[in-house]
Amino acid sequence: MPLVTSKEMFKKAYQGKYAVGAFNVNNMEIIQGIVEAAQEEKAPLILQVSAGARKYAKPVYLKKLVEAAIEDTGLPIVLHLDHGEDFEICKACIDDGFTSVMIDGSKHPFEENIELTKRVVDYAHKRGAVVEAELGRLAGIEDAVKVSEQDAIFTDPDEAVEFVERTGVDSLAIAIGTSHGAYKFKGEPRLDFDRLEKISNMLPGFPIVLHGASSVLPEFVELCNKYGGEIPGAQGVPENMLRKAAEMGVCKINIDTDLRLAMTASVRKHLAENPSHFDPRQYLKPARDAIKDMVVHKMRNVLGCSKKA
Ligand code: G3H
Ligand code: 13P
Ligand code: ZN
């Protein structure tokens, strides 16, 4: 089974009113934990690599690890570039065999975002890859880019339709109130479901993507805090809101922060309880299991994609 694109996955997800999980990967244990979960849950899977992850691990390592996961499990997996900021990185990933790339032109004016996205779409489609773009701007931190709450811009529904028509893009990330990282809301969590409904109705059958969709579960924040430095004021997207979004045309839900918290909580706990351990396998094995448990939970209880592979 080679790498696949998300085309068929999204078609099924849209019709079935569930979302496919797109999980960020940085190393072997994270990949293995996620893949074990997908195998157990019989769930479709997108593994995504950010520019930062690519730099951290070196491009060839993550690609080979994902290939190893496919060889080991026979699972259909999408290998996706997360937040590609220019044509060059999208081209490099497509040339490396990624089946999906995100061109994130959300920081550019509308016309420039269209032009950049169209250029990537033309390159990708000729080579059998699919493209996700972003319109509107999420608050939060992602790689070296920090967008303050005041600078966040919700997606305009009319612009979304024009954007999709003019670029031929395969999926679109929209801004409706989610944000990257562990601090998503200052007060009550609130997503603009009216806006999502409008965009979804104006683009029937078209896959919408939600970034910044970690739930920052208190249990893991508390564990991190108990065994190490404080993560004060952390707050994520309530899980019932994600389930609702998945029923409204959102076919891909991005999760990174929740994996980071699960892994870090496990490592901190293990080392605090076993201060004499220094073999990395002793703390990375439970950390890998923690990633797996988190992904099983997401697939089964939040995304609704278990048994949909
Ligand atoms: O949206 C960004 C993801 O959480 C990836 O984070 O760029 O620090 O790897 P990163
Ligand atoms: P979180 O920070 O909410 O996990 O979002 C991840 C993301 O959107 C990756 O592109
Ligand atoms: Zn993102």
Side-chain angles (χ1 to χ4, degrees):
M1 167 70 68
L3 284 166
V4 296
T5 76
S6 47
K7 261 217 138 54
E8 287 307 310
M9 276 185 192
F10 288 166
K11 210 181 274 177
K12 281 175 71 181
Y14 188 92
Q15 283 161 2
K17 293 186 181 295
Y18 62 87
V20 180
F23 301 97
N24 286 75
V25 299
N26 298 283
N27 67 14
M28 183 185 78
E29 282 77 9
I30 296 174
I31 292 173
Q32 287 178 333
I34 299 167
V35 167
E36 273 178 38
Q39 194 172 23
E40 205 167 284
E41 289 304 296
K42 299 188 173 41
L45 180 61
I46 300 172
L47 294 178
Q48 54 188 15
V49 173
S50 68
R54 220 168 153 256
K55 199 163 153 202
Y56 169 78
K58 287 196 184 173
V60 66
Y61 283 83
L62 292 176
K63 171 78 197 312
K64 296 284 179 197
L65 283 168
V66 173
E67 281 173 0
I70 292 171
E71 192 177 321
D72 183 37
T73 62
L75 281 178
I77 296 176
V78 176
L79 180 56
H80 174 76
L81 167 69
D82 192 25
H83 293 284
E85 69 160 355
D86 53 30
F87 176 81
E88 284 66 34
I89 189 168
C90 293
K91 177 183 182 301
C93 287
I94 293 165
D95 293 349
D96 273 356
F98 279 48
T99 46
S100 175
V101 293
M102 175 188 191
I103 175 67
D104 182 355
S106 60
K107 64 172 186 268
H108 298 298
F110 187 62
E111 287 298 328
E112 277 175 42
N113 190 357
I114 287 188
E115 198 181 313
L116 177 60
T117 301
K118 177 125 186 43
R119 194 170 164 221
V120 174
V121 168
D122 288 345
Y123 189 84
H125 284 182
K126 278 194 195 112
R127 288 154 184 86
V130 293
V131 181
E132 171 186 330
E134 181 167 324
L135 190 63
R137 200 177 294 164
L138 267 68
I141 305 170
E142 153 267 306
D143 244 346
V145 182
K146 188 172 188 305
V147 179
S148 70
E149 258 176 277
Q150 306 89 276
D151 291 334
I153 304 166
F154 284 9
T155 308
D156 178 86
D158 294 315
E159 282 193 354
V161 174
E162 185 181 344
F163 189 92
V164 168
E165 277 170 3
R166 286 177 59 193
T167 57
V169 76
D170 302 281
S171 61
L172 184 69
I174 61 165
I176 55 164
T178 61
S179 64
H180 291 108
Y183 308 97
K184 299 189 190 296
F185 305 98
K186 287 232 171 71
E188 252 327 90
R190 197 192 151 268
L191 296 188
D192 191 343
F193 282 107
D194 291 343
R195 188 177 296 266
L196 171 58
E197 189 177 23
K198 208 164 177 193
I199 295 172
S200 191
N201 287 341
M202 287 166 80
L203 288 169
F206 184 81
I208 293 169
V209 179
L210 210 56
H211 282 244
S214 279
S215 292
V216 191
L217 302 166
E219 178 191 341
F220 293 90
V221 176
E222 277 157 30
L223 267 178
C224 283
N225 289 348
K226 181 172 172 195
Y227 293 105
E230 286 275 300
I231 311 180
Q235 195 176 171
V237 185
E239 292 183 333
N240 61 339
M241 291 191 185
L242 296 171
R243 274 194 293 275
K244 184 170 167 182
E247 288 170 5
M248 295 173 67
V250 170
C251 296
K252 173 175 180 271
I253 289 191
N254 283 14
I255 296 167
D256 186 3
T257 299
D258 278 339
L259 302 186
R260 294 177 176 187
L261 287 169
M263 188 167 203
T264 302
S266 168
V267 172
R268 284 187 183 177
K269 181 171 186 289
H270 184 91
L271 291 175
E273 289 174 352
N274 303 277
S276 64
H277 282 182
F278 57 86
D279 178 343
R281 291 171 297 188
Q282 289 169 314
Y283 53 86
L284 288 177
K285 186 177 181 310
R288 181 173 62 191
D289 292 342
I291 294 269
K292 178 187 167 189
D293 292 346
M294 175 63 78
V295 174
V296 166
H297 164 68
K298 296 283 176 188
M299 289 172 161
R300 208 181 280 176
N301 305 321
V302 184
L303 307 164
C305 63
S306 292
K307 301 197 176 65
K308 307 286 188 188

